Amino acid sequence: MRTCFVARAIALIAIGLASASIHAAEQRAITHEDVWLLPRVGAPAVSPDGKLAVFSVTEPAYTNDQQASDLWLVATDGKTPPRRLTQTRASESGMTWSADSKRIAFASKRDGDDVAQIYILDVTGGGDALRATTISTGARLPKFSPDGRMIAFTSDVPPDSRNDEDSKRIVAEEKARKYKMRAYDSFPIRNWDTWLPENRRPHAFVQTIGVNDARDLFAGTQMIKQPGFAGRSTPGASELDLLWAPDGGSLIFSASRNANRGAFDYTNTELWQVAVSGGEPKRLTGSEDLKGADGWSQPGFSPDGRTLYAFRDVRGKTVFTPTHLAALDWPSLQRRADITLPAERDPLNFVIAPNNRDIYLLAEDAGHSKIYRGKSSGGEATLAFDVKAGGYGNLVGADRSSSPVLIANFDSAISPPEVVRIDLQRGNHQALTRFTADKIAQLDLAPLEHFWFDSKRGARIHNMIVRPPGFDPAKKYPLLVLMHGGPHTMYRDSFSLRWNYHLLAAPGYIVLLTNYTGSTGFGAAFSQAIQGDPLEGPALEINQAADEAIARYSFIDGTRQCAGGASYGGHLANWMQASTDRYRCLISHAGLINLESQWATSDVTYSREQNMGGPPWQQGVDWNTQNPIRYASKWQTPVLVTVGERDFRVPMNNTLEYWSVLQRQQVESRLLVFPDENHWILQGENSRQFFNEVHDWLARWLKAK
């Protein structure tokens, strides 16, 4: 199968976009295989000189043992096709370049590895990647030192371990135990789909390349002994955001000292500095008083090493906090003016130009992700150029080139992610890869259409619709109202694996995507306006959006509507169950049915309490008015209920509560439990069956009656 993939990839590169000439009449509806089996192009990492970009390409399959992923290299001038760098079944992650643009480091678990290790590959001399680490607790997210002699990386180790021999001994003792038990003394205990190991924390390591001398920079420090020590929380992990100081003598990282307070207070991360020789880390941001403190993360230095930039989550009185790009003079740490985005939109990531003055930020805006240009002097960034379709992701740049070199992924609802080079002067991009072009050209995929309306409560609401394949404006099509999760996310013109818009529309439905109040991409105030109104307000806007779509588009059959969503979208589906009978059916994945039990059992709790104004038992705080389970006597809409058994964000207890009451009230319903899935359905066969079930459910209820 891999040989076939190589041939297919080479053919794709050779023919470029020629396949786009396939006549529309020959195009067909998208299938699950079309979505799942497309090559998946990962995030690029650009060399410091700006000449090359490395990225992963996953060759997907329906079974994990047949799936493979490799690294590819492409010249950023677009004059030569990409070439494959690795050829193993093991995937690679965390790719990073040496300062001389000659070597790449990455993490991978290859043959002979019990855990992931760091590998280094010379892209100029050929040959295989060489294993650089052999640490028993594994290694990830490597970073070359400025002089290229050392590598820094992150590993999760027991807090009492002073070296790798200690770690091996502790792991062996754990395996030898005759009992199985988890024990905790404070929050947090779970993250996303993982029970947190009570004796593992992320540590920073430094190792000389070519020498087995890995040093744990946190060993024996007071910092790691604090009960609240942790890295920046990501789904299922805790990261340190390691960054070398310009002189190579120390590392900057982000870490929390109050993660254990997550049940009753906000937590945050701060920036710290630790010497390459180890020792007690020095805190660089924040103060001793952690109450209401800002969060600092993802630091980066300007090319001249004179400015340290980092994201700063500006803590206020709301659950949703705007993120600024903070700037500190180095090494004095004197604060300069923050760089912000219009209406305090959140930056997704940032790139500092080689001139040290221009800062490029990626941010969401009304269904797209766009590039903004800021200045090192601070203030509000401005749009670099507008985007009318699709959007950018994973923006990276060169810091030692003579001119700005910006590389990113670009995708849209009708084109999966590829690697592109941004042309700032022309306001567009040049495609550097075309791994999916021929397959996509065979499919009848209509571009998304945008419309806006003013809600009855005075908010300006953005929407998109998806037309089905073989669309005939003279026909009448049922409406599927799809509700996004979050709530602090946004429906984007993007290509999705989990809830692919066109795959949902394929049987002959119009799909409606609404960015209700609380969505990102419309400014901080719009995102914050959901606080205290957890379900009703957004649901009313979604229902009004459906009415607007039916009124605007004569091809929508307003008598045939269903609605569905996942995560917060599942919450909304359950609120629709409680508040309206307009939909013939509902689909609820990972949705809460009981605000109180969701607050008590999720891996994230305090923000839910703050959104309601206090804990459930506090007098004067209303947890009932917008709680779907309190309206069970009114439930009547048929519903497909789905859940991953390993979901700790919306634990399965809420699904079981919903199912029990549905059965008690004799509401027509179907329950799907995926034992090996978390908050998302990620495995190929499970995903295929999920979409089969969704299509069957919609066909049953949206047929003419």
Side-chain angles (χ1 to χ4, degrees), residues 499 565-567 570 574 586-592 639-645 647 650-652 654-656 658-659 662 670-674 678-679 681 689-691 693-694 697:
W499 289 83
S567 191
N574 297 347
L586 297 168
I587 301 166
S588 172
H589 176 74
L592 72 80
V639 56
L640 176 66
V641 185
T642 71
V643 67
E645 202 167 326
D647 186 354
V650 184
M652 194 171 65
N654 254 278
T655 300
L656 296 179
Y658 193 17
W659 177 248
L662 287 168
R670 180 169 172 80
L671 173 65
L672 309 177
V673 178
F674 294 89
N678 57 24
H679 198 55
I681 298 177
Q689 184 59 26
F690 171 79
F691 273 98
E693 294 273 358
V694 167
W697 187 255

Side-chain angles (χ1 to χ4, degrees), residues 400-590:
R400 288 178 172 80
S401 59
S402 58
S403 60
V405 177
L406 293 178
I407 307 296
N409 292 122
F410 178 85
D411 75 312
S412 73
I414 60 173
S415 57
E418 298 282 1
V419 178
V420 301
R421 175 170 176 150
I422 310 298
D423 189 329
L424 291 168
Q425 291 185 334
R426 296 182 179 180
N428 56 21
H429 62 260
Q430 173 191 3
L432 300 179
T433 66
R434 294 178 176 86
F435 286 93
T436 62
D438 68 334
K439 290 289 188 182
I440 289 298
Q442 299 172 25
L443 306 176
D444 184 1
L445 304 177
L448 302 191
E449 300 172 53
H450 301 246
F451 73 89
W452 296 73
F453 69 88
D454 293 321
S455 75
K456 295 177 181 178
R457 301 191 303 173
R460 189 75 173 153
I461 304 298
H462 171 255
N463 310 264
M464 297 177 287
I465 68 163
V466 186
R467 300 191 188 203
F471 176 77
D472 181 351
K475 291 183 178 180
K476 287 280 191 176
Y477 294 90
L479 181 65
L480 172 59
V481 176
L482 200 61
M483 301 172 286
H484 75 67
H488 303 309
T489 58
M490 177 188 72
Y491 267 136
R492 283 170 48 181
D493 184 356
S494 62
F495 197 88
S496 172
L497 286 176
R498 296 194 304 274
W499 289 83
N500 186 274
Y501 311 148
H502 286 92
L503 184 55
L504 290 167
Y509 310 129
I510 301 296
V511 176
L512 173 64
L513 312 168
T514 298
N515 285 316
Y516 50 77
T517 296
S519 304
T520 52
F522 304 90
F526 189 83
S527 300
Q528 292 167 340
I530 196 174
Q531 186 151 341
D533 184 19
L535 296 169
E536 183 178 34
L540 290 173
E541 290 170 347
I542 290 167
N543 292 337
Q544 186 179 349
D547 291 336
E548 291 280 341
I550 293 166
R552 289 169 185 256
Y553 301 103
S554 60
F555 49 79
I556 296 178
D557 181 356
T559 68
R560 292 184 289 162
Q561 302 178 56
C562 284
S567 191
Y568 179 80
H571 305 352
L572 286 171
N574 297 347
W575 179 250
M576 297 300 186
Q577 177 72 270
S579 62
T580 182
D581 60 1
R582 68 176 292 153
Y583 298 108
R584 287 191 177 186
C585 74
L586 297 168
I587 301 166
S588 172
H589 176 74

Side-chain angles (χ1 to χ4, degrees), residues 3 30 91 124 155 175 209 226 298 340 346 395 408 416 458:
T3 302
I30 194 170
S91 61
T124 63
S155 184
K175 290 182 178 179
I209 296 174
Q226 298 182 70
Q298 302 180 65
T340 61
D346 271 0
L395 183 69

